[in-house]
Amino acid sequence: MAVTAAVVTANAYYIHPIIGEVAGDFGVSNSQIGLVPALNQLALALGILLLLPLGDRYSNKTLCIAFVTAQSGFMLAMALAQSFVLFTIASMLLGFVTIAPYLIPAFASKRVAPERLGHVMAFLTAGVIFGILVARVGAGILAAEFGWRVVYWCAFGLMVSVTLLLPLTLKTDKRSAGQMRKEPQTSYFALLISVFTLSWSHRDMVVSAVIQGCNFAAFTATWLALALHLTSDAMGYGVDTVGYIAGIAALSILSTPRLGKWADKIGARKARLIAALVQLVGIALMYPLGWNVWAVIVPLVIVNLVGPTIDVTGRMTFLALEPAIRTRLTTSYIVTMFLGGSMGSILGTAIYDFGGWAGTCALLLAISASVVALSFWAERNWKSQMAGAI
């Protein structure tokens, strides 16, 4: 499941290290090329809102196979696109059907004991991080040697492989299948409306979603602006260097499962607050250390060590609830997350165009401070609720 999530998630991140090269090939500005990841994430948010709730009604396995097949087709369209408009449209459609990485955690959560939830979610998150790592490192290296289109042809090959193997990847036991068949069937419209009603009655999940939306905004703004910064005339590095630096994400693959176990022990909200504080320190170092390709590794290491833990702990706050509503709560969470990511894509490139690296770092510091403030409030509010319950 983790490998499947890695491959399908990677599609949105190939453009991060090669964004400048793609912009140059299509003859568009930094602000315009920022629309590609931004619209991809907005389309993904819309797709999750409209399609992910189906996971509480239909087989997760069937839905995953259908959506991954569609992804393969749109990835092919991106590789073949000869205009910026067609490339952007194909990227949007690809985002709209990128549902599998968010069906898989709900699928897995129904098959593990509650006390192992943090570890399992962290393991799946590590798979996603690995996909992002391969996408960014591989894209930078391949584009430097063979051009950016080769990146998307390789991605298409990976998608075809996953599509063929997916029926063997997701296994449904008889007990789970029986439970699925016994669930009452509701209309699609009622299912969609229930996403909003469930969110309204689970305010703690909404807070977690907003925190992760801010966190993901900082993530996308960081890497898109960093790619433009390092390949600028002032820094003078190539897209391969951006790809190599993106390899720092490998640390998250090792740290996230361990931090997930740690969160199981001390509680999701307390762990999230600590991770947010550590991340703020890393963000604060971005500007002073961002003018040297070796020095900037320090804040990037800090951010990559703890950033995914904010997501893992956010999901832990609601994936321990009853199985019948987890996919719809995940829908609200992921939609908010990618709305934040799309804003980060737009602001990260636009502010870099206007204010350079200094402007980008000021934006990142403001977002990270918001994550700390919200995490602190959520922790205090939860303690108050628990004290009142006792």
mmCIF file of all heavy atoms in Angstrom, residues 2-42:
data_model
loop_
_atom_site.group_PDB
_atom_site.id
_atom_site.type_symbol
_atom_site.label_atom_id
_atom_site.label_comp_id
_atom_site.label_asym_id
_atom_site.label_seq_id
_atom_site.Cartn_x
_atom_site.Cartn_y
_atom_site.Cartn_z
ATOM 1 N N ALA A 2 1.966 1.207 0.769
ATOM 2 C CA ALA A 2 2.852 2.368 0.843
ATOM 3 C C ALA A 2 3.508 2.643 -0.505
ATOM 4 O O ALA A 2 3.651 3.803 -0.916
ATOM 5 C CB ALA A 2 3.921 2.147 1.917
ATOM 6 N N VAL A 3 3.897 1.592 -1.215
ATOM 7 C CA VAL A 3 4.509 1.768 -2.540
ATOM 8 C C VAL A 3 3.499 2.342 -3.526
ATOM 9 O O VAL A 3 3.814 3.235 -4.329
ATOM 10 C CB VAL A 3 5.065 0.421 -3.055
ATOM 11 C CG1 VAL A 3 5.516 0.542 -4.513
ATOM 12 C CG2 VAL A 3 6.233 -0.029 -2.189
ATOM 13 N N THR A 4 2.278 1.848 -3.474
ATOM 14 C CA THR A 4 1.231 2.367 -4.355
ATOM 15 C C THR A 4 0.996 3.848 -4.093
ATOM 16 O O THR A 4 0.926 4.666 -5.023
ATOM 17 C CB THR A 4 -0.089 1.595 -4.125
ATOM 18 O OG1 THR A 4 0.123 0.207 -4.384
ATOM 19 C CG2 THR A 4 -1.183 2.112 -5.045
ATOM 20 N N ALA A 5 0.898 4.211 -2.825
ATOM 21 C CA ALA A 5 0.705 5.616 -2.470
ATOM 22 C C ALA A 5 1.870 6.468 -2.954
ATOM 23 O O ALA A 5 1.695 7.609 -3.396
ATOM 24 C CB ALA A 5 0.540 5.746 -0.956
ATOM 25 N N ALA A 6 3.078 5.912 -2.890
ATOM 26 C CA ALA A 6 4.271 6.648 -3.320
ATOM 27 C C ALA A 6 4.214 6.995 -4.804
ATOM 28 O O ALA A 6 4.452 8.142 -5.206
ATOM 29 C CB ALA A 6 5.528 5.825 -3.017
ATOM 30 N N VAL A 7 3.892 6.013 -5.620
ATOM 31 C CA VAL A 7 3.905 6.217 -7.078
ATOM 32 C C VAL A 7 2.828 7.203 -7.517
ATOM 33 O O VAL A 7 3.091 8.108 -8.319
ATOM 34 C CB VAL A 7 3.731 4.871 -7.814
ATOM 35 C CG1 VAL A 7 3.575 5.090 -9.320
ATOM 36 C CG2 VAL A 7 4.933 3.977 -7.549
ATOM 37 N N VAL A 8 1.624 7.056 -6.988
ATOM 38 C CA VAL A 8 0.543 7.929 -7.442
ATOM 39 C C VAL A 8 0.656 9.338 -6.867
ATOM 40 O O VAL A 8 0.190 10.309 -7.478
ATOM 41 C CB VAL A 8 -0.839 7.315 -7.144
ATOM 42 C CG1 VAL A 8 -1.025 6.010 -7.891
ATOM 43 C CG2 VAL A 8 -1.034 7.074 -5.656
ATOM 44 N N THR A 9 1.267 9.465 -5.696
ATOM 45 C CA THR A 9 1.459 10.793 -5.113
ATOM 46 C C THR A 9 2.538 11.575 -5.853
ATOM 47 O O THR A 9 2.468 12.799 -5.978
ATOM 48 C CB THR A 9 1.837 10.681 -3.621
ATOM 49 O OG1 THR A 9 0.797 9.998 -2.925
ATOM 50 C CG2 THR A 9 2.032 12.059 -2.989
ATOM 51 N N ALA A 10 3.548 10.862 -6.342
ATOM 52 C CA ALA A 10 4.700 11.502 -6.980
ATOM 53 C C ALA A 10 4.310 12.402 -8.146
ATOM 54 O O ALA A 10 5.006 13.385 -8.444
ATOM 55 C CB ALA A 10 5.678 10.431 -7.461
ATOM 56 N N ASN A 11 3.197 12.101 -8.796
ATOM 57 C CA ASN A 11 2.805 12.838 -10.012
ATOM 58 C C ASN A 11 2.707 14.344 -9.811
ATOM 59 O O ASN A 11 3.000 15.115 -10.729
ATOM 60 C CB ASN A 11 1.461 12.308 -10.531
ATOM 61 C CG ASN A 11 1.537 10.863 -10.976
ATOM 62 O OD1 ASN A 11 2.571 10.408 -11.432
ATOM 63 N ND2 ASN A 11 0.439 10.143 -10.835
ATOM 64 N N ALA A 12 2.302 14.768 -8.641
ATOM 65 C CA ALA A 12 2.111 16.200 -8.391
ATOM 66 C C ALA A 12 3.418 16.928 -8.106
ATOM 67 O O ALA A 12 3.443 18.162 -8.094
ATOM 68 C CB ALA A 12 1.149 16.402 -7.220
ATOM 69 N N TYR A 13 4.503 16.174 -7.897
ATOM 70 C CA TYR A 13 5.739 16.789 -7.416
ATOM 71 C C TYR A 13 6.887 16.781 -8.420
ATOM 72 O O TYR A 13 7.949 17.347 -8.140
ATOM 73 C CB TYR A 13 6.176 16.104 -6.111
ATOM 74 C CG TYR A 13 5.148 16.277 -5.033
ATOM 75 C CD1 TYR A 13 4.164 15.320 -4.812
ATOM 76 C CD2 TYR A 13 5.124 17.431 -4.255
ATOM 77 C CE1 TYR A 13 3.187 15.488 -3.845
ATOM 78 C CE2 TYR A 13 4.156 17.614 -3.277
ATOM 79 C CZ TYR A 13 3.193 16.639 -3.081
ATOM 80 O OH TYR A 13 2.230 16.822 -2.123
ATOM 81 N N TYR A 14 6.686 16.156 -9.568
ATOM 82 C CA TYR A 14 7.751 16.162 -10.577
ATOM 83 C C TYR A 14 8.111 17.583 -11.002
ATOM 84 O O TYR A 14 9.258 17.875 -11.324
ATOM 85 C CB TYR A 14 7.330 15.350 -11.805
ATOM 86 C CG TYR A 14 7.191 13.874 -11.546
ATOM 87 C CD1 TYR A 14 5.962 13.232 -11.656
ATOM 88 C CD2 TYR A 14 8.292 13.110 -11.186
ATOM 89 C CE1 TYR A 14 5.829 11.875 -11.410
ATOM 90 C CE2 TYR A 14 8.170 11.747 -10.940
ATOM 91 C CZ TYR A 14 6.934 11.133 -11.053
ATOM 92 O OH TYR A 14 6.813 9.792 -10.812
ATOM 93 N N ILE A 15 7.133 18.458 -10.976
ATOM 94 C CA ILE A 15 7.363 19.812 -11.473
ATOM 95 C C ILE A 15 8.170 20.679 -10.505
ATOM 96 O O ILE A 15 8.745 21.693 -10.908
ATOM 97 C CB ILE A 15 6.025 20.506 -11.812
ATOM 98 C CG1 ILE A 15 6.280 21.714 -12.709
ATOM 99 C CG2 ILE A 15 5.277 20.884 -10.536
ATOM 100 C CD1 ILE A 15 5.045 22.307 -13.323
ATOM 101 N N HIS A 16 8.273 20.292 -9.248
ATOM 102 C CA HIS A 16 8.926 21.150 -8.257
ATOM 103 C C HIS A 16 10.361 21.542 -8.638
ATOM 104 O O HIS A 16 10.675 22.731 -8.666
ATOM 105 C CB HIS A 16 8.897 20.485 -6.884
ATOM 106 C CG HIS A 16 7.574 20.638 -6.194
ATOM 107 N ND1 HIS A 16 7.406 20.506 -4.833
ATOM 108 C CD2 HIS A 16 6.333 20.914 -6.674
ATOM 109 C CE1 HIS A 16 6.141 20.698 -4.510
ATOM 110 N NE2 HIS A 16 5.473 20.933 -5.608
ATOM 111 N N PRO A 17 11.260 20.593 -8.934
ATOM 112 C CA PRO A 17 12.628 21.013 -9.256
ATOM 113 C C PRO A 17 12.796 21.538 -10.680
ATOM 114 O O PRO A 17 13.774 22.225 -10.967
ATOM 115 C CB PRO A 17 13.444 19.724 -9.058
ATOM 116 C CG PRO A 17 12.480 18.639 -9.351
ATOM 117 C CD PRO A 17 11.146 19.126 -8.847
ATOM 118 N N ILE A 18 11.855 21.230 -11.573
ATOM 119 C CA ILE A 18 12.016 21.597 -12.990
ATOM 120 C C ILE A 18 11.092 22.725 -13.400
ATOM 121 O O ILE A 18 10.937 23.002 -14.592
ATOM 122 C CB ILE A 18 11.772 20.363 -13.900
ATOM 123 C CG1 ILE A 18 10.333 19.841 -13.747
ATOM 124 C CG2 ILE A 18 12.772 19.261 -13.585
ATOM 125 C CD1 ILE A 18 9.968 18.704 -14.689
ATOM 126 N N ILE A 19 10.499 23.407 -12.417
ATOM 127 C CA ILE A 19 9.493 24.417 -12.728
ATOM 128 C C ILE A 19 10.060 25.534 -13.601
ATOM 129 O O ILE A 19 9.391 26.029 -14.513
ATOM 130 C CB ILE A 19 8.869 24.971 -11.430
ATOM 131 C CG1 ILE A 19 7.633 25.820 -11.744
ATOM 132 C CG2 ILE A 19 9.890 25.714 -10.587
ATOM 133 C CD1 ILE A 19 6.805 26.154 -10.521
ATOM 134 N N GLY A 20 11.326 25.914 -13.343
ATOM 135 C CA GLY A 20 11.946 26.957 -14.153
ATOM 136 C C GLY A 20 12.165 26.507 -15.587
ATOM 137 O O GLY A 20 11.963 27.279 -16.535
ATOM 138 N N GLU A 21 12.570 25.261 -15.782
ATOM 139 C CA GLU A 21 12.811 24.736 -17.126
ATOM 140 C C GLU A 21 11.513 24.605 -17.914
ATOM 141 O O GLU A 21 11.463 24.915 -19.106
ATOM 142 C CB GLU A 21 13.513 23.380 -17.035
ATOM 143 C CG GLU A 21 13.945 22.826 -18.387
ATOM 144 C CD GLU A 21 14.875 21.638 -18.266
ATOM 145 O OE1 GLU A 21 15.633 21.578 -17.277
ATOM 146 O OE2 GLU A 21 14.843 20.781 -19.157
ATOM 147 N N VAL A 22 10.466 24.148 -17.266
ATOM 148 C CA VAL A 22 9.170 24.037 -17.935
ATOM 149 C C VAL A 22 8.656 25.422 -18.326
ATOM 150 O O VAL A 22 8.153 25.626 -19.434
ATOM 151 C CB VAL A 22 8.142 23.324 -17.023
ATOM 152 C CG1 VAL A 22 6.771 23.285 -17.688
ATOM 153 C CG2 VAL A 22 8.613 21.911 -16.707
ATOM 154 N N ALA A 23 8.822 26.397 -17.423
ATOM 155 C CA ALA A 23 8.408 27.769 -17.732
ATOM 156 C C ALA A 23 9.155 28.310 -18.935
ATOM 157 O O ALA A 23 8.568 28.935 -19.826
ATOM 158 C CB ALA A 23 8.650 28.671 -16.514
ATOM 159 N N GLY A 24 10.476 28.065 -18.992
ATOM 160 C CA GLY A 24 11.266 28.540 -20.120
ATOM 161 C C GLY A 24 10.869 27.890 -21.427
ATOM 162 O O GLY A 24 10.826 28.548 -22.472
ATOM 163 N N ASP A 25 10.565 26.592 -21.379
ATOM 164 C CA ASP A 25 10.193 25.875 -22.602
ATOM 165 C C ASP A 25 8.867 26.368 -23.166
ATOM 166 O O ASP A 25 8.700 26.497 -24.379
ATOM 167 C CB ASP A 25 10.111 24.379 -22.305
ATOM 168 C CG ASP A 25 10.047 23.536 -23.569
ATOM 169 O OD1 ASP A 25 10.657 23.937 -24.582
ATOM 170 O OD2 ASP A 25 9.373 22.495 -23.560
ATOM 171 N N PHE A 26 7.913 26.666 -22.264
ATOM 172 C CA PHE A 26 6.612 27.160 -22.714
ATOM 173 C C PHE A 26 6.593 28.682 -22.863
ATOM 174 O O PHE A 26 5.597 29.244 -23.335
ATOM 175 C CB PHE A 26 5.512 26.727 -21.741
ATOM 176 C CG PHE A 26 5.117 25.273 -21.877
ATOM 177 C CD1 PHE A 26 5.156 24.429 -20.768
ATOM 178 C CD2 PHE A 26 4.720 24.756 -23.094
ATOM 179 C CE1 PHE A 26 4.780 23.099 -20.877
ATOM 180 C CE2 PHE A 26 4.347 23.412 -23.212
ATOM 181 C CZ PHE A 26 4.385 22.581 -22.104
ATOM 182 N N GLY A 27 7.651 29.359 -22.431
ATOM 183 C CA GLY A 27 7.735 30.813 -22.569
ATOM 184 C C GLY A 27 6.787 31.568 -21.660
ATOM 185 O O GLY A 27 6.186 32.558 -22.064
ATOM 186 N N VAL A 28 6.648 31.114 -20.393
ATOM 187 C CA VAL A 28 5.766 31.789 -19.436
ATOM 188 C C VAL A 28 6.590 32.278 -18.244
ATOM 189 O O VAL A 28 7.721 31.840 -18.025
ATOM 190 C CB VAL A 28 4.630 30.851 -18.953
ATOM 191 C CG1 VAL A 28 3.749 30.448 -20.129
ATOM 192 C CG2 VAL A 28 5.201 29.608 -18.265
ATOM 193 N N SER A 29 6.001 33.175 -17.437
ATOM 194 C CA SER A 29 6.697 33.756 -16.291
ATOM 195 C C SER A 29 6.644 32.822 -15.085
ATOM 196 O O SER A 29 5.917 31.816 -15.078
ATOM 197 C CB SER A 29 6.063 35.096 -15.930
ATOM 198 O OG SER A 29 4.748 34.893 -15.424
ATOM 199 N N ASN A 30 7.405 33.199 -14.043
ATOM 200 C CA ASN A 30 7.384 32.422 -12.801
ATOM 201 C C ASN A 30 5.992 32.386 -12.179
ATOM 202 O O ASN A 30 5.541 31.363 -11.660
ATOM 203 C CB ASN A 30 8.377 33.019 -11.795
ATOM 204 C CG ASN A 30 9.816 32.834 -12.219
ATOM 205 O OD1 ASN A 30 10.128 31.935 -12.995
ATOM 206 N ND2 ASN A 30 10.698 33.685 -11.720
ATOM 207 N N SER A 31 5.305 33.530 -12.210
ATOM 208 C CA SER A 31 3.946 33.588 -11.659
ATOM 209 C C SER A 31 2.997 32.691 -12.442
ATOM 210 O O SER A 31 2.143 32.010 -11.861
ATOM 211 C CB SER A 31 3.424 35.030 -11.677
ATOM 212 O OG SER A 31 4.203 35.854 -10.847
ATOM 213 N N GLN A 32 3.134 32.671 -13.770
ATOM 214 C CA GLN A 32 2.247 31.844 -14.597
ATOM 215 C C GLN A 32 2.498 30.362 -14.393
ATOM 216 O O GLN A 32 1.555 29.571 -14.287
ATOM 217 C CB GLN A 32 2.435 32.215 -16.072
ATOM 218 C CG GLN A 32 1.851 33.553 -16.466
ATOM 219 C CD GLN A 32 2.177 33.915 -17.912
ATOM 220 O OE1 GLN A 32 3.348 33.978 -18.308
ATOM 221 N NE2 GLN A 32 1.149 34.147 -18.698
ATOM 222 N N ILE A 33 3.757 29.966 -14.309
ATOM 223 C CA ILE A 33 4.046 28.542 -14.141
ATOM 224 C C ILE A 33 3.586 28.059 -12.773
ATOM 225 O O ILE A 33 3.273 26.876 -12.577
ATOM 226 C CB ILE A 33 5.553 28.253 -14.339
ATOM 227 C CG1 ILE A 33 5.797 26.749 -14.561
ATOM 228 C CG2 ILE A 33 6.369 28.746 -13.169
ATOM 229 C CD1 ILE A 33 5.166 26.188 -15.801
ATOM 230 N N GLY A 34 3.496 28.974 -11.804
ATOM 231 C CA GLY A 34 2.980 28.608 -10.489
ATOM 232 C C GLY A 34 1.534 28.147 -10.532
ATOM 233 O O GLY A 34 1.063 27.463 -9.620
ATOM 234 N N LEU A 35 0.819 28.498 -11.620
ATOM 235 C CA LEU A 35 -0.567 28.056 -11.765
ATOM 236 C C LEU A 35 -0.667 26.547 -11.969
ATOM 237 O O LEU A 35 -1.690 25.946 -11.627
ATOM 238 C CB LEU A 35 -1.224 28.771 -12.949
ATOM 239 C CG LEU A 35 -1.500 30.265 -12.777
ATOM 240 C CD1 LEU A 35 -2.001 30.862 -14.083
ATOM 241 C CD2 LEU A 35 -2.523 30.486 -11.666
ATOM 242 N N VAL A 36 0.378 25.928 -12.534
ATOM 243 C CA VAL A 36 0.306 24.487 -12.809
ATOM 244 C C VAL A 36 0.150 23.691 -11.516
ATOM 245 O O VAL A 36 -0.830 22.944 -11.356
ATOM 246 C CB VAL A 36 1.532 24.008 -13.619
ATOM 247 C CG1 VAL A 36 1.482 22.486 -13.799
ATOM 248 C CG2 VAL A 36 1.573 24.689 -14.977
ATOM 249 N N PRO A 37 1.069 23.803 -10.541
ATOM 250 C CA PRO A 37 0.841 23.068 -9.285
ATOM 251 C C PRO A 37 -0.356 23.588 -8.497
ATOM 252 O O PRO A 37 -1.039 22.810 -7.817
ATOM 253 C CB PRO A 37 2.156 23.276 -8.508
ATOM 254 C CG PRO A 37 2.762 24.499 -9.092
ATOM 255 C CD PRO A 37 2.362 24.505 -10.539
ATOM 256 N N ALA A 38 -0.637 24.899 -8.596
ATOM 257 C CA ALA A 38 -1.766 25.450 -7.853
ATOM 258 C C ALA A 38 -3.090 24.877 -8.346
ATOM 259 O O ALA A 38 -3.928 24.434 -7.552
ATOM 260 C CB ALA A 38 -1.776 26.974 -7.967
ATOM 261 N N LEU A 39 -3.289 24.864 -9.663
ATOM 262 C CA LEU A 39 -4.532 24.339 -10.219
ATOM 263 C C LEU A 39 -4.618 22.830 -10.059
ATOM 264 O O LEU A 39 -5.712 22.275 -9.899
ATOM 265 C CB LEU A 39 -4.646 24.733 -11.692
ATOM 266 C CG LEU A 39 -4.852 26.233 -11.950
ATOM 267 C CD1 LEU A 39 -4.853 26.533 -13.449
ATOM 268 C CD2 LEU A 39 -6.148 26.722 -11.319
ATOM 269 N N ASN A 40 -3.469 22.156 -10.092
ATOM 270 C CA ASN A 40 -3.457 20.717 -9.834
ATOM 271 C C ASN A 40 -3.996 20.430 -8.433
ATOM 272 O O ASN A 40 -4.807 19.519 -8.236
ATOM 273 C CB ASN A 40 -2.024 20.189 -9.989
ATOM 274 C CG ASN A 40 -1.882 18.724 -9.586
ATOM 275 O OD1 ASN A 40 -1.722 18.411 -8.407
ATOM 276 N ND2 ASN A 40 -1.927 17.829 -10.544
ATOM 277 N N GLN A 41 -3.561 21.230 -7.462
ATOM 278 C CA GLN A 41 -3.985 21.012 -6.078
ATOM 279 C C GLN A 41 -5.432 21.435 -5.854
ATOM 280 O O GLN A 41 -6.153 20.799 -5.080
ATOM 281 C CB GLN A 41 -3.034 21.753 -5.143
ATOM 282 C CG GLN A 41 -1.673 21.083 -5.075
ATOM 283 C CD GLN A 41 -0.559 22.016 -4.648
ATOM 284 O OE1 GLN A 41 -0.790 23.196 -4.380
ATOM 285 N NE2 GLN A 41 0.653 21.514 -4.597
ATOM 286 N N LEU A 42 -5.868 22.504 -6.532
ATOM 287 C CA LEU A 42 -7.277 22.889 -6.433
ATOM 288 C C LEU A 42 -8.173 21.807 -7.031
ATOM 289 O O LEU A 42 -9.224 21.472 -6.469
ATOM 290 C CB LEU A 42 -7.508 24.216 -7.153
ATOM 291 C CG LEU A 42 -7.061 25.482 -6.413
ATOM 292 C CD1 LEU A 42 -7.205 26.703 -7.320
ATOM 293 C CD2 LEU A 42 -7.886 25.678 -5.142
#
